[in-house]
Amino acid sequence: MENRSLVPQSGLKLPIAQIRSVFRPHDVERKLAKLPARDHESLRATYERMLERGPERFQVKPSGVPEMASLYDQLPNFAEALDDVRRHVALAQDIGDGLEVTPMLLLGPPGIGKTHFARQLAELLGTGMNLVPMSSMTAGWLLSGASSQWKGAKPGKVFEALVDGQYANPVIVVDEIDKASADAQYDPLGSLYSLLEHDTATTFMDEFAEVAIDASQVIWIMTANDDRCIPEPIMNRMNVFEIDAPTPEQARAIARNLYLAIRGEHGWGLHFDEEAGDDVLDMLAELAPREMRRALMTGFGNARLARRGSIQPDDLPKAAGAKAKIGFLQ
């Protein structure tokens, strides 16, 4: 296996553990040769794209156990899940193997930062993130693709992440897995039975392309509000972490870190105080983490309009229920 290095991301040096093939070109060539001279234009284009891109993808991991203190600060209620990631990174740090993370389920109420955790993890590992929102999808072929015999069929999200992406070990987030709705013909979660098992994932078959894909290195993160709708065999394939809403102290710390991050990410941040006021942090701590960023952006904007360098409580949006009315005067 060939070792290479990547441009550092987020201050980390991310060496390539190895170059890994995610499919066999011979399989693709054989499928392409068997296609009729006419029809199947989409399938033909898919095979040609696979051969043009080639099968090799980067399989990356952090060099050593990365410094994760900032993540613990940003996501204090995710400590157990972060601990699990650190353990997996520690196992892979001194060997040529790629990073392998047991599929994880983040279980907890909406708005507490589950998807944000997944994005931060993908950034930490440097492999990119692919989001699959199950709440808005009903088709069983979302993950595994639809047969090319169907009109408008296309590959699934797993195929796209591996064949069209750069990495053999991308982070794939199945968001709100408990919202997946099945009908008599399709089970949206059916492909996970094989995808979440390392041995069977090495020869995952997308139903559109019908070419074996090595999905064994995918880093899976599921999010859910309620585990009662998730089949037990799928639950048994994952490490389950029950994520509580942050405590008032944790929420205040999240708000402070978010203020600092937003201020530091924008040039206009120089116009504002280095720290948010206690009264502002107290108000933000009453919001779900998902809502804090929107509230802060509103606060920054209102303060700037008032030509102030500090956000005041009145700059933050009103609590839910005090909605402004927009319409025509009668």
Side-chain angles (χ1 to χ4, degrees), residues 49-50 53 57 155-156 158-167:
R49 186 173 78 252
M50 293 175 72
R53 290 213 62 201
R57 300 292 181 271
V158 177
F159 179 95
E160 290 178 356
L162 293 168
V163 174
D164 296 330
Q166 303 179 59
Y167 304 106

Side-chain angles (χ1 to χ4, degrees), residues 17 25 30 40 52 77 80 86 104 156 179-180 184 188 204 251 264 322 330:
R30 189 172 67 250
H40 302 287
E52 181 179 355
N77 50 330
E80 289 187 7
R86 291 183 74 234
M104 62 172 61
K179 301 294 196 304
F204 168 70
Q330 299 295 323

Side-chain angles (χ1 to χ4, degrees), residues 288-299:
R290 172 191 291 172
E291 300 168 359
M292 288 182 187
R293 175 175 284 273
R294 295 198 301 268
L296 271 169
M297 291 301 292
T298 299

Side-chain angles (χ1 to χ4, degrees), residues 37 59 66 71 80-81 85 108 172 176 305 328:
Q59 184 177 5
L71 281 183
E80 289 187 7
V85 172
I172 297 183
E176 296 187 309
L305 286 172
F328 294 101

Side-chain angles (χ1 to χ4, degrees), residues 255-330:
R256 177 181 178 271
N257 284 316
L258 193 54
Y259 175 92
L260 296 174
I262 295 174
R263 181 183 179 275
E265 289 168 0
H266 299 88
W268 47 255
L270 295 174
H271 295 293
F272 290 93
D273 295 342
E274 292 185 6
E275 292 282 351
D278 289 341
D279 48 359
V280 169
L281 294 180
D282 289 340
M283 287 188 65
L284 290 170
E286 297 178 2
L287 302 176
R290 172 191 291 172
E291 300 168 359
M292 288 182 187
R293 175 175 284 273
R294 295 198 301 268
L296 271 169
M297 291 301 292
T298 299
F300 277 119
N302 284 333
R304 188 66 176 144
L305 286 172
R307 299 182 181 276
R308 281 186 274 101
S310 60
I311 297 177
Q312 297 179 1
D314 287 345
D315 294 325
L316 299 176
K318 295 179 180 179
K323 297 180 180 178
K325 294 182 179 179
I326 301 176
F328 294 101
L329 294 176
Q330 299 295 323

Side-chain angles (χ1 to χ4, degrees), residues 177 187 189 193 227-236 238:
I177 188 176
D187 177 7
L189 305 182
Y193 291 97
D227 63 352
R228 289 175 295 180
C229 299
I230 306 174
E232 190 65 28
I234 291 180
M235 290 284 291
N236 291 338
M238 301 183 288

Side-chain angles (χ1 to χ4, degrees), residues 12 20 94-95 110 113 129 137 150 158 163 170 178 190 196 202 210 216 221 228 250 254 272 276 290 304 308:
L12 294 172
R20 189 179 184 95
D94 297 324
I95 55 177
M129 189 188 92
M137 307 292 182
W150 291 82
V158 177
V163 174
D178 51 327
L196 298 183
T202 57
E210 294 186 321
S216 63
I221 301 177
R228 289 175 295 180
Q250 290 175 335
I254 292 172
F272 290 93
R290 172 191 291 172
R304 188 66 176 144
R308 281 186 274 101

Side-chain angles (χ1 to χ4, degrees), residues 13 19 51 54 87 107 145 154 182 191-192 199 201 206-208 216 223 228 230 233 279 292 300 305 324:
K13 183 181 180 182
I19 301 297
L51 293 174
R87 283 190 289 268
L107 185 63
K154 61 180 182 179
S191 59
L192 290 178
D199 292 342
D206 182 271
E207 293 185 25
F208 178 81
S216 63
T223 76
R228 289 175 295 180
I230 306 174
D279 48 359
M292 288 182 187
F300 277 119
L305 286 172

